[in-house]
Each structure stands twice: as C-alpha cells, then as structure tokens.
C-alpha cells in the first residue's frame, strides 16, 4: 500500500518512529486510506497484544518495515515535493494469525493428534481465548491413552503456542495408570504414538535438543523408578557413542522383511518410533512370526504371537555388539519438565533483539 507523508513533517515523523523502535515498539496501528499522513495518526505499541486491541477498523502492521520503506523513499526522492510517497506492505493481524494457525495445524498433524484437534484449536483461536486445553484419546492393544494439549497466547507477540501435552495411559488388566507431560520445542517433540510407546516402557530413537540447544540423537525410555519434583518420570538415554545401532542388530537376525529395501526402511522407521513390530524370522531351524522392539542393552526384545517373551538365544541368535565403555553406558537425563519448561517460556518471548542501531541501518 502507498502512504503519503507531508514533506515538511517527514523527517520529524521518521525520527519519532526510529525512537519508538529503539524503545522496543514493534507494532503500529493507523487509519487506512488517508490521503496523507503527518505521523500523528499512527500509534506505536510494544506488543502485538495491545496493538491488536486498538486495531478494530484500523490497519495493523510492523514498525521496522515502515522505517526501512521511509528511508528508501527519501533516498530515492529526486525532485522537491510537498509529499513523499512510501510503499509499505504491512502484515495485518489477520494474515499474521492465519500464518500462526497454519503453523500450529502442521505441528498438531506432525505430532499425530488428528484433524478434529486442529478444527477445535482453530475454533478456540478464532474465539480469541488466550489460553485453552483440548482433549483426545486413542486405544492401542486394549489400553486407553488420553491426551490433554495446552495452548497459550503470548501477550508479547499475540501468537499462539502449543508447548506441551499430558498423556495418561490406562491399563485395565494391570489396574495401572501412568502419567507423563511431554514438551514441544519449536514444533518438535515426541509424537502421540511415541508417547504411548514410552509409557509402555519401550525405547524411542529421537533427535533432541540439549540445554545448550545442540542436537543429539539417542535411544530414550522412561525410568519408572525415578520422578522429578513435578511427578514426571525421568528419562534414560543411550547415545550414539554408546555403540548400539539398530540396523546392525537387525542384520544379525534372518528377518524376511529385511530382504526388501523398501520394507527394511519402513521396518527401521517403525522400530525407531518405539513400535512393537511383527516380523517373520527364519533361522532354518525355526520359522515363526515374532514381535520385536529395540533394546540397547539386549539388542532386541522379542515376543511370540501370544506376547510371551522370547530369548533370542533360544532361536540361536547372537545379538551381542561392541559397547563403547569409554562412554557412560546409561545416562539419566535431567528432568525434561524442568529444562523444557524453561524452553517453553523462552519460545513465547520474542527473540532477543540486537542493539537497534546495529540491527537497522538508518540514514
């Protein structure tokens, strides 16, 4: 859109915007379709939350792009004029909200919570609720797992965040209920199915971020004997340096599904997610269908079709591998509810700004 400013007040208006920006005002609200602007009609706000409250019937945008556009306009002005035309394309609050919603919908889809959760989430956001929870459940092997997803709007940016969900696994046969909170970091984290597998006591192979924001990959499981001060189970992990490699272990087992490249790839991906996967094993002496799941200590956990545990040695299988004893075999991971809870608060805050004088070149 084109904004025209009076030349005799252009520089003072630009100076006002620069000062507002240095004072951490990132958003602006102004009446649309004015013939000319003096600057007095344009209000600046530090947070999207407060800007949005004043945006009814007005145009809402970001301040920094306007300052850049005004700098460009005055540099390119070749002849004296009573007005300076500035080409400015603000992202109005509707577009910003649409982008935010689309990002969250992708997160919910990636984490495996389904279309209904996405639809309910959009309804809550459109209703303007600053904080809400959504619930869903699924059944696996006659066990019910309930999820409660937490959404919150940041007062700083106006954006909504999905930073954690609670999972509750109920086993009616064992008369047992397990609860765990899983945290989402930058849209990534344990999926709904992976949460179920972890609560079932299985390993999940996952790329995670440590406290220094560095990526690492490990086989992880919940330690049901230890909880943190919030009641969350701590994690046990076996990093890549430990020496366990699922693909190498599977290569020691005559699994028919491993003979096809595509089937092998799908099998490894499924096992990495912690799934209990059925395969056909033919040792020559033994032919049968077995459920398998990774175990960095034993190589694999195996069960027959009635879910009775099977010792790989009984099938003549040797799943031993070389452990790197120079590395810690078993590492207790610091409580995720504490470290990722800090990440949650950081994610809701805008990125730390550089010195505005360095961030933006002004003329």
């Amino acid at each position: 859109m084109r904004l025209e400013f009076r030349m005799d007040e252009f520089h003072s208006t630009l100076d006002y915007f620069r000062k507002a920006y240095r004072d951490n005002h990132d958003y602006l609200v102004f009446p649309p379709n004015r013939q000319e602007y003096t600057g007095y009609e344009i209000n600046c706000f530090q947070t999207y939350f407060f800007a949005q409250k004043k945006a009814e019937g007005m145009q809402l945008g970001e301040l920094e792009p306007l300052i850049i556009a005004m700098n460009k306009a005055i540099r390119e002005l070749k002849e004296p004029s009573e007005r300076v035309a500035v080409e400015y394309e603000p992202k109005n609050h509707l577009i910003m909200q649409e982008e935010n919603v689309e990002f969250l919908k992708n997160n919910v889809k990636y984490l495996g919570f389904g279309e209904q959760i996405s639809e309910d989430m959009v309804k809550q956001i459109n209703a303007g609720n600053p904080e809400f929870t959504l619930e869903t459940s699924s059944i696996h092997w006659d066990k019910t797992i309930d999820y409660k997803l937490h959404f919150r709007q940041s007062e700083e940016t106006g954006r909504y965040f999905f930073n954690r969900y609670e999972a509750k696994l109920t086993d009616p046969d064992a008369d047992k209920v397990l609860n765990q909170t899983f945290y989402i970091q930058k849209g990534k984290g344990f999926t709904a199915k992976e949460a179920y597998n972890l609560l079932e006591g299985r390993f999940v192979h996952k790329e995670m971020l440590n406290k220094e924001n560095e990526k690492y990959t490990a086989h992880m499981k919940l330690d049901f004997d230890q909880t943190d001060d919030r009641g969350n189970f701590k994690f046990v992990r076996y990093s890549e340096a430990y020496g366990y490699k699922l693909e190498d272990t599977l290569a020691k087992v005559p699994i028919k599904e491993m003979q096809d490249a595509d089937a092998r790839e799908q099998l490894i991906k499924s096992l990495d997610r912690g799934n209990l996967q059925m395969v056909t094993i033919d040792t020559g002496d033994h032919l049968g269908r077995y459920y398998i799941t990774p175990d960095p200590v034993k190589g694999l956990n195996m069960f027959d079709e009635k879910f009775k545990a099977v010792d790989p040695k009984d099938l003549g299988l040797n799943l031993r591998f070389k452990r790197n004893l120079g590395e810690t075999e078993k590492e207790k991971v610091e409580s995720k509810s504490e470290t990722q809870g800090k990440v949650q608060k950081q994610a809701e805050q805008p990125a730390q700004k550089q010195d505005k004088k360095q961030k933006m070149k002004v003329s």
Side-chain angles (χ1 to χ4, degrees):
M1 63 186 302
R2 171 173 289 195
L3 305 181
E4 293 196 359
F5 291 87
R6 285 172 48 180
M7 184 64 192
D8 58 352
E9 295 187 2
F10 185 87
H11 289 285
S12 61
T13 299
L14 181 55
D15 288 341
Y16 161 68
F17 289 151
R18 288 170 176 166
K19 183 180 184 304
Y21 187 69
R22 287 194 297 269
D23 291 338
N24 295 320
H25 289 73
D26 289 329
Y27 301 95
L28 52 87
V29 172
F30 59 94
N33 304 321
R34 284 286 183 93
Q35 218 169 23
E36 70 175 17
Y37 293 86
T38 63
Y40 293 105
E41 312 91 341
I42 302 177
N43 295 311
C44 300
F45 298 88
Q46 288 187 331
T47 68
Y48 178 85
F49 179 78
F50 288 110
Q52 188 180 32
K53 285 182 174 293
K54 300 291 185 180
E56 186 174 354
M58 307 282 275
Q59 179 72 54
L60 187 152
E62 297 177 350
L63 179 56
E64 183 182 16
L66 177 59
I67 296 174
I68 294 173
M70 292 177 73
N71 284 329
K72 180 181 179 182
I74 198 66
R75 283 197 304 268
E76 295 178 353
L77 188 65
K78 298 179 180 179
E79 298 179 358
S81 175
E82 294 183 357
R83 294 179 180 175
V84 180
V86 177
E87 297 296 333
Y88 170 58
E89 294 298 333
K91 279 189 176 181
N92 62 48
H93 63 289
L94 292 177
I95 295 176
M96 293 169 70
Q97 181 172 301
E98 287 173 3
E99 291 177 348
N100 184 203
V101 168
E102 194 62 31
F103 178 77
L104 289 174
K105 287 171 67 176
N106 288 335
N107 284 357
V108 168
K109 179 180 178 181
Y110 161 77
L111 294 167
F113 288 108
E115 291 296 326
Q116 188 59 53
I117 285 290
S118 288
E119 292 175 10
D120 293 343
M121 176 194 70
V122 172
K123 291 178 183 178
Q124 292 286 337
I125 292 176
N126 289 340
N129 295 324
E131 191 169 1
F132 58 92
T133 60
L134 298 174
E135 298 183 8
T136 186
S137 63
S138 59
I139 298 176
H140 301 282
W141 305 99
D142 297 327
K143 297 178 183 179
T144 300
I145 184 163
D146 300 299
Y147 303 96
K148 179 183 286 188
L149 289 66
H150 293 258
F151 297 83
R152 183 176 181 273
Q153 185 182 35
S154 168
E155 291 188 1
E156 292 293 324
T157 65
R159 292 182 176 275
Y160 282 86
F161 291 88
F162 168 39
N163 288 317
R164 75 183 193 278
Y165 67 89
E166 298 158 11
K168 181 177 74 172
L169 179 65
T170 303
D171 184 349
D173 295 331
D175 192 24
K176 181 174 63 175
V177 176
L178 297 173
N179 295 277
Q180 183 79 0
T181 299
F182 294 92
Y183 289 87
I184 311 302
Q185 187 174 355
K186 298 180 180 179
K188 303 295 183 182
F190 289 108
T191 67
K193 184 64 183 298
E194 288 169 346
Y196 163 77
N197 288 332
L198 287 167
L199 288 168
E200 279 281 67
R202 294 194 282 270
F203 280 93
V204 171
H205 189 236
K206 199 75 173 173
E207 181 180 86
M208 305 292 287
L209 293 175
N210 62 19
K211 290 188 293 184
E212 288 73 37
N213 220 32
E214 299 169 334
K215 292 181 180 180
Y216 71 91
T217 304
H219 282 89
M220 305 179 69
K221 70 177 293 186
L222 294 175
D223 183 350
F224 297 119
D225 294 324
Q226 293 202 45
T227 58
D228 60 20
D229 56 0
R230 299 186 183 185
N232 256 2
F233 296 113
K234 293 186 178 182
F235 280 82
V236 175
R237 72 178 178 186
Y238 291 84
S239 67
E240 298 295 317
Y242 170 65
Y244 176 73
K245 294 182 179 179
L246 174 60
E247 190 167 3
D248 292 347
T249 299
L250 293 175
K252 300 175 183 178
V253 184
I255 298 174
K256 285 192 173 182
E257 289 78 5
M258 290 286 287
Q259 297 172 8
D260 177 78
D262 291 336
R264 179 172 64 248
E265 182 181 358
Q266 292 303 315
L267 174 62
I268 292 173
K269 285 182 178 179
S270 179
L271 291 172
D272 276 343
R273 291 192 290 268
N275 292 328
L276 194 61
Q277 190 70 38
M278 177 172 272
V279 296
T280 303
I281 297 177
D282 185 0
T283 65
D285 297 325
H286 299 275
L287 172 64
R289 301 274 285 169
Y290 298 90
Y291 290 101
I292 62 173
T293 185
D295 188 323
V297 178
K298 298 185 291 184
L300 289 174
N301 286 316
M302 300 182 63
F303 306 90
D304 64 18
E305 293 183 83
K306 296 182 179 180
F307 296 102
K308 181 180 178 181
V310 175
D311 188 337
K313 293 179 182 178
D314 293 342
L315 301 181
L317 301 175
N318 181 3
L319 304 183
R320 295 182 62 185
F321 60 94
K322 184 178 179 180
R323 295 169 173 82
N324 187 351
L325 299 180
E327 297 290 332
T328 303
E329 272 193 29
K330 184 177 178 181
E331 300 177 82
K332 293 286 170 66
V333 178
E334 184 179 350
S335 167
K336 294 299 177 186
S337 63
E338 180 178 344
T339 57
Q340 294 185 340
K342 295 176 183 176
V343 171
Q344 171 183 341
K345 292 181 180 179
Q346 293 171 359
E348 293 179 359
Q349 301 297 324
Q352 185 68 34
K353 293 175 184 170
Q354 305 173 25
D355 185 326
K356 296 289 181 68
K357 294 178 181 177
Q358 298 177 2
K359 181 179 178 182
M360 179 181 62
K361 183 177 179 182
V362 295
S363 59

